[in-house]
Short mmCIF file of all heavy atoms in Angstrom, two decimals:
data_model
loop_
_atom_site.label_atom_id
_atom_site.label_comp_id
_atom_site.label_asym_id
_atom_site.label_seq_id
_atom_site.Cartn_x
_atom_site.Cartn_y
_atom_site.Cartn_z
N GLY A 1 1.23 -4.57 18.87
CA GLY A 1 0.69 -5.71 19.64
C GLY A 1 -0.83 -5.63 19.69
O GLY A 1 -1.47 -5.18 18.75
N GLY A 2 -1.40 -6.09 20.78
CA GLY A 2 -2.85 -6.07 20.96
C GLY A 2 -3.34 -7.38 21.57
O GLY A 2 -2.57 -8.32 21.79
N LYS A 3 -4.63 -7.46 21.82
CA LYS A 3 -5.21 -8.63 22.48
C LYS A 3 -5.04 -9.88 21.64
O LYS A 3 -5.01 -11.01 22.18
CB LYS A 3 -6.66 -8.40 22.76
CG LYS A 3 -6.91 -7.46 23.94
CD LYS A 3 -8.24 -7.75 24.57
CE LYS A 3 -8.41 -6.86 25.78
NZ LYS A 3 -8.13 -7.55 27.02
N GLY A 4 -4.92 -9.75 20.34
CA GLY A 4 -4.76 -10.93 19.49
C GLY A 4 -3.39 -11.55 19.56
O GLY A 4 -3.11 -12.54 18.90
N GLY A 5 -2.51 -11.00 20.37
CA GLY A 5 -1.16 -11.54 20.48
C GLY A 5 -0.27 -10.98 19.37
O GLY A 5 -0.68 -10.13 18.57
N VAL A 6 0.91 -11.49 19.30
CA VAL A 6 1.85 -11.02 18.31
C VAL A 6 1.73 -11.88 17.06
O VAL A 6 2.20 -13.00 17.02
CB VAL A 6 3.31 -11.05 18.86
CG1 VAL A 6 4.29 -10.60 17.79
CG2 VAL A 6 3.42 -10.15 20.08
N ARG A 7 1.04 -11.36 16.09
CA ARG A 7 0.91 -12.00 14.77
C ARG A 7 1.38 -10.95 13.77
O ARG A 7 1.06 -9.78 13.89
CB ARG A 7 -0.54 -12.34 14.47
CG ARG A 7 -1.10 -13.41 15.39
CD ARG A 7 -2.56 -13.64 15.10
NE ARG A 7 -3.26 -12.36 15.18
CZ ARG A 7 -4.41 -12.07 14.61
NH1 ARG A 7 -5.03 -12.95 13.88
NH2 ARG A 7 -4.96 -10.89 14.75
N MET A 8 2.12 -11.38 12.79
CA MET A 8 2.65 -10.43 11.81
C MET A 8 1.89 -10.64 10.49
O MET A 8 1.70 -11.78 10.05
CB MET A 8 4.13 -10.70 11.58
CG MET A 8 4.78 -9.65 10.71
SD MET A 8 6.54 -9.93 10.48
CE MET A 8 7.15 -9.68 12.11
N PHE A 9 1.42 -9.55 9.92
CA PHE A 9 0.81 -9.61 8.59
C PHE A 9 1.14 -8.31 7.87
O PHE A 9 1.52 -7.33 8.49
CB PHE A 9 -0.69 -9.87 8.65
CG PHE A 9 -1.49 -8.78 9.36
CD1 PHE A 9 -2.15 -7.83 8.58
CD2 PHE A 9 -1.60 -8.73 10.70
CE1 PHE A 9 -2.89 -6.83 9.18
CE2 PHE A 9 -2.34 -7.73 11.32
CZ PHE A 9 -3.00 -6.78 10.55
N ALA A 10 0.98 -8.34 6.55
CA ALA A 10 1.36 -7.17 5.77
C ALA A 10 0.26 -6.88 4.73
O ALA A 10 -0.56 -7.72 4.41
CB ALA A 10 2.68 -7.44 5.03
N THR A 11 0.26 -5.64 4.24
CA THR A 11 -0.66 -5.22 3.18
C THR A 11 0.16 -4.50 2.09
O THR A 11 1.20 -3.96 2.36
CB THR A 11 -1.71 -4.24 3.69
OG1 THR A 11 -1.06 -3.07 4.21
CG2 THR A 11 -2.55 -4.84 4.80
N VAL A 12 -0.36 -4.58 0.88
CA VAL A 12 0.27 -3.88 -0.26
C VAL A 12 -0.83 -3.24 -1.07
O VAL A 12 -1.88 -3.84 -1.27
CB VAL A 12 1.08 -4.88 -1.14
CG1 VAL A 12 1.65 -4.16 -2.35
CG2 VAL A 12 2.13 -5.57 -0.36
N ASP A 13 -0.61 -2.04 -1.52
CA ASP A 13 -1.58 -1.33 -2.34
C ASP A 13 -0.83 -0.54 -3.42
O ASP A 13 0.25 -0.01 -3.15
CB ASP A 13 -2.44 -0.38 -1.52
CG ASP A 13 -3.59 0.21 -2.29
OD1 ASP A 13 -3.94 -0.35 -3.36
OD2 ASP A 13 -4.12 1.24 -1.86
N SER A 14 -1.35 -0.53 -4.64
CA SER A 14 -0.70 0.19 -5.72
C SER A 14 -1.74 0.97 -6.51
O SER A 14 -2.89 0.57 -6.62
CB SER A 14 0.00 -0.78 -6.68
OG SER A 14 1.03 -1.44 -5.99
N SER A 15 -1.32 2.07 -7.07
CA SER A 15 -2.14 2.81 -8.02
C SER A 15 -1.25 3.07 -9.25
O SER A 15 -0.06 3.32 -9.12
CB SER A 15 -2.62 4.14 -7.44
OG SER A 15 -1.54 4.98 -7.16
N TYR A 16 -1.82 2.98 -10.42
CA TYR A 16 -1.04 3.08 -11.63
C TYR A 16 -1.42 4.34 -12.42
O TYR A 16 -2.58 4.52 -12.81
CB TYR A 16 -1.25 1.84 -12.50
CG TYR A 16 -0.72 0.61 -11.82
CD1 TYR A 16 -1.58 -0.23 -11.14
CD2 TYR A 16 0.64 0.33 -11.78
CE1 TYR A 16 -1.09 -1.35 -10.47
CE2 TYR A 16 1.13 -0.77 -11.11
CZ TYR A 16 0.26 -1.61 -10.46
OH TYR A 16 0.74 -2.69 -9.80
N ALA A 17 -0.44 5.20 -12.62
CA ALA A 17 -0.58 6.42 -13.44
C ALA A 17 -1.78 7.24 -13.05
O ALA A 17 -2.49 7.75 -13.88
CB ALA A 17 -0.67 6.02 -14.93
N THR A 18 -1.98 7.41 -11.74
CA THR A 18 -3.12 8.19 -11.28
C THR A 18 -2.78 9.66 -11.01
O THR A 18 -3.66 10.42 -10.63
CB THR A 18 -3.68 7.57 -9.98
OG1 THR A 18 -2.64 7.57 -8.99
CG2 THR A 18 -4.22 6.19 -10.18
N HIS A 19 -1.55 10.03 -11.24
CA HIS A 19 -1.16 11.40 -10.94
C HIS A 19 -0.85 12.15 -12.23
O HIS A 19 -0.61 11.55 -13.28
CB HIS A 19 0.08 11.38 -10.02
CG HIS A 19 -0.18 10.59 -8.77
ND1 HIS A 19 -1.01 11.00 -7.77
CD2 HIS A 19 0.26 9.34 -8.43
CE1 HIS A 19 -1.07 10.08 -6.86
NE2 HIS A 19 -0.31 9.07 -7.20
N ASP A 20 -0.80 13.45 -12.12
CA ASP A 20 -0.59 14.30 -13.33
C ASP A 20 0.70 13.94 -14.05
O ASP A 20 0.77 14.08 -15.27
CB ASP A 20 -0.55 15.77 -12.92
CG ASP A 20 -1.92 16.25 -12.41
OD1 ASP A 20 -2.92 15.60 -12.74
OD2 ASP A 20 -1.92 17.27 -11.70
N ASP A 21 1.74 13.50 -13.33
CA ASP A 21 3.00 13.18 -13.99
C ASP A 21 3.04 11.73 -14.49
O ASP A 21 4.05 11.25 -14.94
CB ASP A 21 4.18 13.43 -13.05
CG ASP A 21 4.11 12.61 -11.77
OD1 ASP A 21 3.19 11.79 -11.62
OD2 ASP A 21 5.01 12.79 -10.94
N LEU A 22 1.89 11.04 -14.41
CA LEU A 22 1.73 9.66 -14.89
C LEU A 22 2.69 8.69 -14.19
O LEU A 22 3.10 7.68 -14.76
CB LEU A 22 1.86 9.55 -16.40
CG LEU A 22 0.78 10.30 -17.18
CD1 LEU A 22 1.03 10.14 -18.68
CD2 LEU A 22 -0.59 9.79 -16.82
N LYS A 23 3.00 8.98 -12.93
CA LYS A 23 3.82 8.07 -12.15
C LYS A 23 2.92 7.17 -11.32
O LYS A 23 1.86 7.59 -10.85
CB LYS A 23 4.76 8.86 -11.21
CG LYS A 23 5.66 9.80 -11.90
CD LYS A 23 6.78 9.09 -12.64
CE LYS A 23 7.73 10.10 -13.26
NZ LYS A 23 8.74 9.49 -14.02
N SER A 24 3.33 5.94 -11.13
CA SER A 24 2.60 5.04 -10.26
C SER A 24 3.01 5.23 -8.82
O SER A 24 4.08 5.79 -8.55
CB SER A 24 2.86 3.60 -10.68
OG SER A 24 2.36 3.39 -11.98
N HIS A 25 2.21 4.75 -7.92
CA HIS A 25 2.48 4.90 -6.50
C HIS A 25 2.12 3.60 -5.82
O HIS A 25 1.06 3.04 -6.06
CB HIS A 25 1.63 6.04 -5.95
CG HIS A 25 2.05 6.52 -4.63
ND1 HIS A 25 3.02 7.46 -4.45
CD2 HIS A 25 1.68 6.17 -3.38
CE1 HIS A 25 3.21 7.71 -3.19
NE2 HIS A 25 2.40 6.90 -2.49
N SER A 26 2.99 3.09 -4.98
CA SER A 26 2.68 1.87 -4.25
C SER A 26 3.02 2.07 -2.77
O SER A 26 3.86 2.92 -2.43
CB SER A 26 3.44 0.69 -4.80
OG SER A 26 4.84 0.88 -4.69
#
C-alpha cells in the first residue's frame, strides 16, 4: 500500500547468458 493508494504495477528484468553456465536469468 502507501499514500498513493492501491495501484498495481509490475516490473520485468532479464539478463541473457551472463553467468558461467551461460544460462539466462529473469
Side-chain angles (χ1 to χ4, degrees):
K3 285 206 177 260
V6 177
R7 295 176 305 158
M8 188 179 294
F9 64 98
T11 61
V12 178
D13 188 18
S14 296
S15 64
Y16 296 98
T18 58
H19 306 288
D20 294 339
D21 60 3
L22 296 179
K23 302 287 183 183
S24 296
H25 194 87
S26 62

